[in-house]
Amino acid sequence: AIAPLLPGKITLKKEKISANETVMQTDPSEENYVAEEDPLSVFTINHGSRNSKKIAITMDDMFDTEWTWKTLALCKEYGITMTFFPIGRSLKEEDRENWRAVIEAGCEIGSHSSYHAEFKGIGEWIAIGRLGKFQEMLDKTLGFHYEVRWFRPPFGNISDSR
């Protein structure tokens, strides 16, 4: 997942996890570098502890929200929390109570963008606009502001290198 960080300096640590995949994670306990030159450095690709036996359960797109609500029912039944990554056009005011129930169940809502469009090569201002549009759509659906902390880019990339 990709997480927007709060305003301020962005400190990232590179870690190679396979021949083809490099992740960036925040780690204030080790020597880090500041990635200020990258216009998309307001995002960090993050993973949990490699020493912990935990998994992150996620669901994205939600073109058909019927499965979203069935998944939420399973979360409630088994006490599972997960992160839902809907696209903005899947967020409808008539589903307000269901999206509120996602939050009430302890699950999170992350952004999968407003219209499932490619982020690779679009530029900083277009990316910010798309993320802002998703936030507006979510807030309108919920009827209140919900701070989105996670972003999963459509098609998995935000640039040629990540």
Side-chain angles (χ1 to χ4, degrees):
I2 295 182
L5 299 176
L6 297 175
K9 286 204 172 210
I10 295 125
T11 306
L12 304 173
K13 182 183 102 177
K14 269 190 176 179
E15 180 180 331
K16 196 89 165 165
I17 58 171
S18 72
N20 298 325
E21 188 174 5
T22 300
V23 297
M24 304 292 275
Q25 82 179 71
T26 59
D27 188 350
S29 66
E30 296 184 24
E31 285 195 22
N32 300 308
Y33 69 95
V34 178
E36 295 174 335
E37 70 284 349
D38 181 356
L40 291 174
S41 66
V42 294
F43 303 106
T44 180
I45 301 170
N46 200 346
H47 62 76
S49 169
R50 300 286 190 220
N51 300 320
S52 177
K53 293 184 178 186
K54 294 181 179 180
I55 62 169
I57 302 173
T58 66
M59 180 178 188
D60 63 20
D61 297 338
M62 286 115 192
F63 294 114
D64 179 357
T65 53
E66 175 186 350
W67 289 103
T68 306
W69 315 140
K70 288 179 180 180
T71 303
L72 177 60
L74 289 172
C75 287
K76 289 178 177 180
E77 182 178 343
Y78 292 100
I80 297 168
T81 58
M82 62 180 285
T83 305
F84 292 84
F85 289 96
I87 57 168
R89 70 179 187 180
S90 297
L91 300 169
K92 298 178 175 59
E93 286 185 66
E94 58 262 24
D95 291 329
R96 175 172 287 162
E97 294 310 312
N98 288 325
W99 286 111
R100 287 180 175 181
V102 166
I103 298 166
E104 290 165 8
C107 297
E108 287 191 88
I109 301 172
S111 174
H112 197 45
S113 83
S114 45
Y115 300 103
H116 207 277
E118 181 77 61
F119 267 67
K120 188 168 63 173
I122 64 169
E124 177 181 8
W125 291 108
I126 295 172
I128 290 168
R130 288 182 184 174
L131 294 172
K133 181 65 176 171
F134 175 86
Q135 183 71 64
E136 289 174 16
M137 296 166 112
L138 178 60
D139 291 350
K140 183 177 180 183
T141 298
L142 291 171
F144 60 86
H145 175 69
Y146 174 85
E147 185 178 334
V148 174
R149 299 182 330 126
W150 301 101
F151 169 62
R152 173 178 285 165
F155 311 105
N157 331 341
I158 57 170
S159 71
D160 289 331
S161 62
R162 296 189 286 186

